[in-house]
Amino acid sequence: MANTTHNVAATVAKVSTYGGSAGAVLFGLTANDIAAFAGVGIGLTGIAITLFYKHREDRRAAQRHAAEMARLKWETDHHV
């Protein structure tokens, strides 16, 4: 019984410590801090979206180039 009580007390202490720490960080932030973190998040999201679409654009350009090279090779081989 004493061992179970000790485990419960240790768990409650850990949860209250982490909860208190999270509350201090969360409630200690000012509106400027929150806006700064939101700005960083929006900026990183924008960079990720730009890189994603740039990669797709590069892939399409490579496909167009390969098709154009194949067409030129065919024209050269058939003297069109």
Side-chain angles (χ1 to χ4, degrees):
M1 181 75 166
N3 192 20
T4 303
T5 305
H6 175 69
N7 288 342
V8 170
T11 302
V12 168
K14 183 168 69 171
V15 168
S16 62
T17 300
Y18 290 137
S21 299
V25 168
L26 182 63
F27 297 119
L29 295 177
T30 65
N32 289 337
D33 295 333
I34 293 171
F37 287 129
V40 169
I42 290 169
L44 291 174
T45 302
I47 289 171
I49 290 170
T50 300
L51 289 174
F52 174 75
Y53 283 107
K54 193 61 164 165
H55 173 71
R56 289 179 61 181
E57 179 184 344
D58 290 346
R59 189 175 61 205
R60 286 191 305 267
Q63 290 170 347
R64 280 193 303 270
H65 177 71
E68 180 68 14
M69 289 289 102
R71 184 186 65 79
L72 290 173
K73 181 173 178 2
W74 185 87
E75 287 178 358
T76 303
D77 291 345
H78 294 88
H79 305 293
V80 174

